[in-house]
Amino acid sequence: MTKENVIEIKNLSYRVEDRYILEDITLEVTPGSLLGIIGPNGGGKTTLLKIILGLITHYQGEVRVFGHRPDQLGEDRHRIGYVPQHSHIEQNFPASALDVVMMGLYGKMGLGRFPRRKDYAKAREALALVDMEEAANKQIGKLSGGQQQRVFIARALVNDPDLLILDEPTLGVDAKAMSSINDTLLELKESMGLTMIIVSHDIGIISISADSLACMNRKLYFHQRPEELDRKTLEEAYACEVEMLFHGELPHRVVERHR
Amino acid sequence: MNPFHSGFMQRALLAGILVGASCSILSNYIVLKNMSFIGHGISHVAFGGVALALLLGWNVNITTLAFSLLAALAIGLVSQRGRVSEDSAIGIFLVTGMALGVLFISLKKTYTPDVMGYLFGNILAVSWGDILMIAVTGFVVLGCVFLFFKELFYFTFDEEMARVSGIAVTFFHFVLLALIAVNVVIAIKVVGVILVSALLIIPAVTAHQITGNFRWMIAVALGVGMISNFVGLYLSYLLDIPSGSTIVLSLFCCFLIALALRVIREKRGGTVSKKKG
């Protein structure tokens, strides 16, 4: 395997009992690129992310992140920023936006160490990157879905990561917030030189900006330039009829109509 | 009339306030992590330990502590494996612990006057040795919360993300379970097996009605726990009612007041925002 790639995955399979969740996945992510992952629900997208993050370890095949096995990343773990699907947080939890971003620093700080003024300053800077510094002291559950998502992006950015992984970053937010979050992500990718993986149901951001695209339904159906994405590939992956609406020259939205 | 002149009431007061403080601090994590039922389960398993100690003439504190820790470990392991859901596992341990308790008590042929005290609390029988144990427990809880504040905070908020950022989530899960087990043992002295979970739940739920800031929540819960124990003990002395009952009812009154304050505040807030709109 070459050292230059941020992620290299070779013949990865993962099954639960007799059922394959992922089967024979091979892909690589080059530094500074954006990999988009689309696919139907239950197609293994989040599982793939969990393997990359070291949360699932009993897979078959070879996975390297920054040249290491994901569960042996050591300090390189903090070079990854992760934005999970946010729906499972307790909306009444007594934490402010600043508290949530500070949490991003806790693992790196280590046991028995207390946050200092510079850590708080760093968390505020991360909030500023996503235009949320004004909400620093607001309770996380009192913010709108889009604002919460921005806070979670700030938490992922607070360690100055090299790799940013986002799982459905615009799920459950309105169209205006979605477009604004997408714009922010693309700006951050450029300004911070980030390598990015976005799992999304929204083909918009991926088709316009991704350098490579994985269409996943247990297997990897496509892993080339998004311009080459066609209806046949999508239908094969989704196992359903896909209606593509074109906006300019690029596929803008996919409407599923299950058979 | 000052009930706190006598030695046993001074010990009771000290024990009550220390137990209230220790359990209240811990209750914040229990409530926010939705672990309320675990405390309830462990306390009932602990009754098995109490009964076994009474049957065999062993040290009650040590036997109960061993039972509670084993119950906490078993619940933790079962929930980690995921074969049986956590609440089902707790339900099974809870009834088994109580059944063992009844079995051991029945096997003891002589009269066991202490049983009611362990079931419903007998704070007036607290010895200086008990107070030492309570103080050490309180110190351990305070130390853990202080040392691991950020790890426990993150773990409570979002377990999966805490794991991603390198926090030893499984370790902290067991730390919390062990702290619950130890607190159950000391709280049994004050309110008894049946009512222990009140001390591990109500202070934090009350504080949560009042504040949306975690640090304030800990402080308010601490105040609620200590004051309720003091008031409950005083009422217990005045009205000659078991202290477990008066302490839990005092806690419940605090909860009602906090709930009322929250409703009033929300109504006012609603009116203001309607005016603004």
Side-chain angles (χ1 to χ4, degrees):
Chain A
M1 284 199 171
T2 52
K3 275 192 174 172
E4 295 91 292
N5 284 330
V6 176
I7 293 175
E8 293 201 354
I9 296 175
K10 219 171 174 182
N11 307 118
L12 167 69
S13 292
Y14 173 69
R15 60 181 185 185
V16 176
E17 290 170 359
D18 288 337
R19 198 167 66 90
Y20 274 97
I21 310 291
L22 299 174
E23 193 176 342
D24 201 24
I25 307 284
T26 295
L27 66 79
E28 54 193 42
V29 181
T30 54
S33 66
L34 194 166
L35 166 69
I37 303 178
I38 58 164
N41 287 335
K45 306 186 296 292
T46 301
T47 305
L48 178 67
L49 296 190
K50 288 188 171 177
I51 289 175
I52 292 170
L53 290 162
L55 293 173
I56 295 175
T57 50
H58 49 287
Y59 52 81
Q60 296 159 297
E62 207 171 340
V63 179
R64 290 285 181 272
V65 180
F66 298 120
H68 307 282
R69 280 176 56 104
D71 56 335
Q72 294 169 355
L73 269 170
E75 283 302 301
D76 278 341
R77 173 190 299 277
H78 306 299
R79 293 171 65 191
I80 305 175
Y82 173 47
V83 182
Q85 285 188 31
H86 67 97
S87 51
H88 61 278
I89 74 151
E90 175 63 58
Q91 296 297 326
N92 279 325
F93 197 92
S96 66
L98 185 65
D99 284 333
V100 172
V101 179
M102 283 298 291
M103 288 176 188
L105 292 167
Y106 287 170
K108 198 175 181 181
M109 256 181 232
L111 280 177
R113 299 209 175 162
F114 298 95
R116 294 180 181 180
R117 198 170 290 176
K118 70 173 171 50
D119 297 313
Y120 285 100
K122 206 158 174 23
R124 285 182 188 280
E125 268 172 39
L127 278 170
L129 283 175
V130 293
D131 299 323
M132 287 298 292
E133 69 247 75
E134 308 245 315
N137 295 319
K138 289 200 175 142
Q139 197 178 336
I140 185 77
K142 301 265 193 284
L143 301 175
S144 71
Q147 288 174 320
Q148 284 184 21
Q149 203 56 356
R150 285 177 175 275
V151 173
F152 294 130
I153 294 169
R155 175 177 65 182
L157 292 172
V158 73
N159 278 319
D160 297 322
D162 296 317
L163 169 64
L164 185 62
I165 298 176
L166 304 106
D167 193 354
E168 297 280 12
T170 54
L171 189 69
V173 304
D174 61 55
K176 198 176 160 199
M178 184 191 288
S179 137
S180 142
I181 287 174
N182 286 342
D183 290 346
T184 305
L185 285 173
L186 296 177
E187 279 167 30
L188 289 168
K189 180 180 174 294
E190 290 310 313
S191 63
M192 296 175 74
L194 289 167
T195 307
M196 228 182 237
I197 300 178
I198 301 181
V199 163
S200 184
H201 64 291
D202 166 31
I203 285 194
I205 182 173
I206 289 178
S207 62
I208 293 164
S209 323
D211 300 298
S212 55
L213 192 132
C215 192
M216 278 189 65
N217 190 3
R218 189 164 52 90
K219 292 182 178 176
L220 192 66
Y221 280 82
F222 188 82
H223 179 216
Q224 296 157 55
R225 298 272 311 150
E227 293 92 304
E228 295 162 33
L229 177 72
D230 57 23
R231 178 186 298 194
K232 192 168 165 293
T233 313
L234 277 173
E235 287 191 353
E236 223 174 30
Y238 275 82
C240 67
E241 214 172 282
V242 173
E243 182 186 331
M244 297 180 78
L245 301 177
F246 284 83
H247 181 80
E249 290 185 346
L250 293 162
H252 187 64
R253 192 154 65 96
V254 169
V255 181
E256 299 173 48
R257 203 186 302 138
H258 282 268
R259 283 172 188 152
Chain B
M1 180 176 53
N2 186 352
F4 300 112
H5 274 314
S6 55
F8 70 89
M9 274 307 282
Q10 286 168 0
R11 287 198 297 277
L13 180 70
L14 195 57
I17 289 179
L18 286 175
V19 167
S22 182
C23 290
S24 307
I25 292 173
L26 197 58
S27 71
N28 294 286
Y29 298 97
I30 294 172
V31 166
L32 292 175
K33 194 85 185 84
N34 293 322
M35 292 169 91
S36 303
F37 193 41
I38 292 183
H40 196 62
I42 293 177
S43 63
H44 284 68
V45 175
F47 181 65
V50 169
L52 184 67
L54 291 177
L55 174 67
L56 300 175
W58 292 353
N59 181 304
V60 176
N61 284 346
I62 293 172
T63 315
T64 314
L65 184 62
F67 255 68
S68 302
L69 285 172
L70 274 177
L73 186 69
I75 290 168
L77 286 176
V78 169
S79 64
Q80 299 266 316
R81 296 283 156 91
R83 295 262 171 185
V84 180
S85 73
E86 191 173 82
D87 57 345
S88 302
I90 296 165
I92 291 169
F93 288 120
L94 185 155
V95 290
T96 309
M98 284 304 272
L100 279 176
V102 174
L103 174 75
F104 295 146
I105 299 280
S106 310
L107 288 175
K108 193 167 190 274
K109 298 297 176 199
T110 51
Y111 175 59
T112 45
D114 300 340
V115 174
M116 285 298 280
Y118 287 111
L119 280 174
F120 299 104
N122 185 8
I123 197 170
L124 302 181
V126 169
S127 66
W128 283 112
D130 292 331
I131 288 185
L132 181 68
M133 182 177 167
I134 291 168
V136 170
T137 305
F139 186 74
V140 170
V141 170
L142 205 62
C144 282
V145 168
F146 183 71
L147 264 184
F148 304 137
F149 183 84
K150 61 185 195 307
E151 286 82 8
L152 287 172
F153 189 33
Y154 203 173
F155 167 72
T156 310
F157 177 63
D158 187 340
E159 195 171 321
E160 183 175 85
M161 282 306 295
R163 195 188 292 277
V164 169
S165 66
I167 287 167
V169 163
T170 309
F171 170 75
F172 285 107
H173 185 69
F174 281 100
V175 165
L176 265 189
L177 285 173
L179 289 178
I180 294 172
V182 181
N183 274 271
V184 160
V185 177
I186 59 165
I188 284 175
K189 301 272 170 208
V190 181
V191 290
V193 165
I194 309 289
L195 300 175
V196 158
S197 49
L199 290 184
L200 295 171
I201 298 171
I202 301 178
V205 179
T206 303
H208 203 187
Q209 306 306 312
I210 294 173
T211 176
N213 177 300
F214 186 62
R215 292 155 190 87
W216 273 112
M217 185 173 156
I218 293 180
V220 173
L222 187 64
V224 166
M226 289 166 78
I227 290 169
S228 300
N229 273 271
F230 180 82
V231 172
L233 266 177
Y234 194 77
L235 289 175
S236 160
Y237 182 85
L238 270 186
L239 307 171
D240 195 21
I241 295 170
S243 54
S245 161
T246 48
I247 288 173
V248 173
L249 289 173
S250 304
L251 279 168
F252 183 67
C253 286
C254 288
F255 167 69
L256 282 184
I257 293 167
L259 192 65
L261 284 174
R262 181 185 162 179
V263 171
I264 291 167
R265 196 174 55 189
E266 277 177 1
K267 276 198 173 167
R268 279 188 184 163
T271 321
V272 171
S273 62
K274 266 181 204 163
K275 278 180 189 166
K276 274 184 185 168

